[in-house]
Amino acid sequence: MAFALKSPSKLPVVAIVGNPNVGKSVLFNRLTGRYVTVSNYPGTTVEISKGLASAYKVRFIVVDTPGMYSMSPISEDERVARRVLIDNPPDLILHVVDAKNIERMLPLTLQFLEAGFEVIVVANMMDEADRSGIKIDTIELQKRLGIPVIATACLHGRGIDLLKDILYERLAK
């Protein structure tokens, strides 16, 4: 059965993508205010959640996709996530990455950019990265990638206001 990503209301669609257990569902909850069960066990986001969100006066649809490691899927979850992006391209991708393992996750960012998607990198779990002594220069990373990079700790709401500022800028055009 095909998944209709585009809304009949013509609201912009923002897809939340990334590896399993990086905080995609927590970000979905922060943006939509909707409760979704979040677990640290791989493969728990097996269904696609869709909700309505807003960044100031701009309303948009948010889609929480299953975890994926690459655009060349090897699992059913990855195939579903890829199919959602390819069959109904979203207006914007929020690529959520674990800030503690950002180097391992950026190749997927590059795959999204090569595929022509508009992408914002959400470097999540910055609180844990800080505690581990990991420093990420988001300004430099933003310059090198040519796309916004937002440092967040979604579980605590850190960085969400800045992310909404960027979403507003991107979706209000």
Side-chain angles (χ1 to χ4, degrees):
M1 178 166 60
F3 177 78
L5 191 60
K6 294 291 182 188
S7 68
S9 62
K10 306 291 184 199
L11 291 175
V13 176
V14 175
I16 299 174
V17 298
N19 291 183
N21 303 315
V22 294
K24 295 183 305 295
S25 296
V26 176
L27 178 58
F28 177 86
N29 294 342
R30 286 280 176 191
L31 292 175
T32 65
R34 182 175 161 199
Y35 178 77
V36 173
T37 301
V38 179
S39 171
N40 287 331
Y41 294 101
T44 54
T45 309
V46 293
E47 295 181 357
I48 297 169
S49 300
K50 214 168 150 179
L52 185 62
S54 64
Y56 309 107
K57 293 183 178 180
V58 175
R59 293 171 37 128
F60 55 95
I61 303 292
V62 181
V63 179
D64 185 13
T65 64
M68 64 187 304
Y69 294 100
S70 97
M71 288 291 283
S72 300
I74 53 174
S75 72
E76 185 60 26
D77 285 352
E78 288 181 301
R79 275 189 279 282
V80 169
R82 182 182 187 278
R83 198 170 57 230
V84 166
L85 297 176
I86 298 300
D87 291 349
N88 298 290
D91 297 285
L92 182 66
I93 287 179
L94 296 178
H95 182 203
V96 183
V97 300
D98 176 353
K100 301 181 309 295
N101 298 295
I102 197 163
E103 290 177 10
R104 187 167 49 89
M105 299 187 173
L106 289 179
L108 183 55
T109 304
L110 298 177
Q111 290 178 26
F112 294 140
L113 293 172
E114 288 173 359
F117 293 109
E118 186 173 351
V119 179
I120 295 173
V121 172
V122 179
N124 194 31
M125 303 181 192
M126 284 300 293
D127 54 333
E128 294 178 23
D130 290 344
R131 281 195 300 271
S132 298
I134 298 169
K135 301 293 179 205
I136 298 173
D137 185 343
T138 56
I139 302 298
E140 180 61 27
L141 185 57
Q142 191 168 282
K143 285 180 188 171
R144 290 184 182 213
L145 292 172
I147 58 174
V149 177
I150 310 298
T152 65
C154 292
L155 195 58
H156 307 291
R158 178 175 153 193
I160 299 299
D161 287 341
L162 179 56
L163 178 59
K164 284 185 173 183
D165 289 347
I166 301 298
L167 285 168
Y168 175 78
E169 289 175 16
R170 298 294 170 127
L171 299 174
K173 35 181 177 172

